[in-house]
Every structure is written in C-alpha cells, then in structure tokens.
Amino acid sequence: MSIWLKCVSRCARPNGGRGADRPRLVRLTLLAGFLGAMSAEAVALELRGSLVQGGLVMGQVAPGTRVWAGGRELRVSPQGHFLIGFGRDAGPQYAFSVSHPDGRREELTLAISPREYEVQRIDGLPPRMVQPGPEDLERIRADALHVREARRLDDARTDFLDGFIWPARGTLTGVYGSQRILNGEPRRPHFGVDISAPMGSPVVAPAAGVVTLAVPDMFFSGGTLIVDHGHGLSSAFLHLERILVREGERVRRGQHIAEIGATGRVTGAHLDWRINLFETRLDPQLLVAEPRPDPN
C-alpha cells in the first residue's frame, strides 16, 4: 500500500534569510491500522522534524522495523529511532519504505516544502582564496578527502535525541543555502550558519558526540572540527583559532570544545557551523529551539 504524507503545519520560512520566521516542527503519527490491514498490535510510525529543504526528520517505529530510503537501508536503533534528511535543493517529494515486524511493507512519500534563498556578496578576499593555484587545489582535494572520511561514520549512538543548542553566541551574519558571490564571482552556496564573535570566543558542543576530525589548518575552512552525533549525523565547526579536543574524544552537550577564529577563507572572526547527515547538508537553524544565537 502506498501512502502520501503532506505537511499540515507551516513548514518553510518565507526565505532563508535573517529575520525570517522559524518553521514549526511537524509531528506525524500514523498507526499501523491506517497504513494497511489492521493487526492485533497497532504499531505507530512517528516523524518529528521539518519537512522542508535543509530539514531533518527524526523517525520512530516499533523495534524490529526496517526502513529504506535513497536506495539503502537506514540504521534503526533498538528503540526504533532513525533519521532522514533533505538537502538544499531537495525535490518536492521524498519516498521511503517501512517493513514492519509482522511482515507488512509500506511505501510512503513525504511532501517537502521549497525555500527561497538569499544571495550574499563577500568582497575583499585574497585572490588566492577565490582562484586557488595548482598546489592549493591539491591541498583542497586532500582536505575534502579527510572530511568525507570523518562523515562516513555510521555509529549506533543516538546522541542527537537529547536535542541541540547553539554552539556559540554572537551575531548571525550568514545563513544556510545562500548563494555566495565572492569578489564578484559566483561560487557554491553556503551550507552552514555564520556566527560573528570576537576572536577567542568559546565554541561549545551543540549536542553530545565523538570527535571524528580535528585539524588546525585546512585551506578553506582553517581550524576544522567535526563531532559525530550518531547515525551519520555530524556537526562541523570551521575557521577555529584553537581546538580543545582530540579525535576519538567523547564530548558532552555544552562542553567547551574550541575557540572562534579567523582562519581559512574569511574576512573576519566568526564560526561557520554546519550539519550533515552523511553527505546531505542540512540547515543547523532548524535543529535548535532558540531562534537566534543571542550575543548577550
């Protein structure tokens, strides 16, 4: 049986920019009886999150249920928790399937709301940071390989269930999805949120996790730290002045893990915070309860 699920809350901001309304989280709960033939044991399928480009949905099914999406089987915790995410340019529909412990299999489709994205112009960057030379390109490729390796971890931990906080306080100067124009030249969209704050300001872990990458100097991102929150969900912290934790270290939510800097491709001190579900880039703002990283 095929089920088409539509978001019944307002799921998208009118644009991706500062001052836009935050999306309300959508919570969908479906009983097995509505999904297919009634069974002696009604099993709930619950989805919580933002059905919008850049959004993350945390699902829960009965223990022993299996879930497939994007051509692969997703990790489902012993308690039935799983994650699905939608990239910046995700299409209007997202299909996944659920195989229940009693053998029933359901095909479901989520309606994903589109967003409008800002255009952000950044001038005054060193020319080398916009047009890297051959040696720089070799280094950039090596940096990208390290990052991809760190994001491949598919750990059974469910640290993400405890929720997220802002990793730093300051002024929001860049948002997810915005098209970047660097020194007048169009470049890739921005996939994080930028928080401007004085050099040396603290960066804390937004959620518990394990450090999978800690490199003091990458070409574009400077001091770079990645913390894995389980099930392939990870946070990246870029342009750091100092990294205070080591690869393999377990960190708790709110722990001081780094200091804001101005390393890599920047025009001033700030933190670029990014969220990935494996290689799918998500909007960090959609995961925090507070609307802004208040500088006070």
Side-chain angles (χ1 to χ4, degrees), residues 143-249:
D143 289 345
L145 179 60
H146 287 312
V147 170
R148 284 197 299 272
E149 286 297 324
R151 286 176 172 157
R152 283 180 181 172
L153 182 63
D154 185 5
D155 196 89
R157 290 174 295 105
T158 54
D159 296 327
F160 54 84
L161 291 177
D162 292 330
F164 287 75
I165 61 174
W166 283 102
R169 297 292 175 183
T171 302
L172 200 64
T173 55
V175 295
Y176 172 90
S178 56
Q179 176 63 55
R180 286 283 173 90
I181 309 290
L182 306 181
N183 290 0
E185 299 185 22
R187 287 295 184 265
R188 297 181 65 193
H190 185 47
F191 290 108
V193 291
D194 290 335
I195 304 168
S196 177
M199 187 86 73
S201 298
V203 176
V204 303
V210 172
V211 178
T212 57
L213 184 76
V215 178
D217 185 25
M218 287 189 162
F219 184 81
F220 282 134
S221 56
T224 304
L225 176 65
I226 295 180
V227 175
D228 179 84
H229 307 297
H231 285 221
L233 188 69
S234 64
S235 285
F237 312 91
L238 315 184
H239 312 304
L240 302 171
E241 178 67 20
R242 290 181 62 208
I243 296 173
L244 306 177
V245 291
R246 302 182 304 275
E247 291 182 13
E249 184 174 342

Side-chain angles (χ1 to χ4, degrees), residues 12-211:
R13 286 176 282 189
N15 58 65
R18 296 175 292 278
D21 293 336
R22 288 177 55 78
R24 289 197 290 264
L25 296 184
V26 63
R27 180 167 180 159
L28 300 173
T29 303
L30 301 174
L31 295 179
F34 292 106
L35 290 173
M38 287 293 291
S39 62
E41 225 178 295
V43 179
L45 164 65
E46 183 174 284
L47 303 175
R48 294 181 296 112
S50 298
L51 298 180
V52 60
Q53 290 173 332
L56 176 75
V57 166
M58 300 184 186
Q60 186 168 15
V61 289
T65 302
R66 301 172 70 183
V67 181
W68 287 265
R72 69 181 187 92
E73 184 171 2
L74 306 186
R75 176 179 288 280
V76 180
S77 75
Q79 294 76 34
H81 298 288
F82 66 95
L83 297 175
I84 52 179
F86 320 114
R88 176 189 185 272
D89 301 311
Q93 297 181 10
Y94 182 91
F96 68 105
S97 60
V98 176
S99 178
H100 297 284
D102 63 5
R104 291 176 301 104
R105 182 156 177 155
E106 313 293 343
E107 305 294 330
L108 300 103
T109 303
L110 298 173
I112 308 304
S113 297
R115 293 168 63 174
E116 297 177 4
Y117 296 106
E118 289 186 353
V119 175
Q120 186 177 26
R121 298 178 182 275
I122 301 176
D123 297 313
L125 291 167
R128 178 186 171 201
M129 287 294 179
V130 181
Q131 293 284 0
E135 290 185 6
D136 294 330
L137 289 173
E138 184 176 345
R139 182 182 170 194
I140 290 165
R141 284 191 288 268
D143 289 345
L145 179 60
H146 287 312
V147 170
R148 284 197 299 272
E149 286 297 324
R151 286 176 172 157
R152 283 180 181 172
L153 182 63
D154 185 5
D155 196 89
R157 290 174 295 105
T158 54
D159 296 327
F160 54 84
L161 291 177
D162 292 330
F164 287 75
I165 61 174
W166 283 102
R169 297 292 175 183
T171 302
L172 200 64
T173 55
V175 295
Y176 172 90
S178 56
Q179 176 63 55
R180 286 283 173 90
I181 309 290
L182 306 181
N183 290 0
E185 299 185 22
R187 287 295 184 265
R188 297 181 65 193
H190 185 47
F191 290 108
V193 291
D194 290 335
I195 304 168
S196 177
M199 187 86 73
S201 298
V203 176
V204 303
V210 172
V211 178

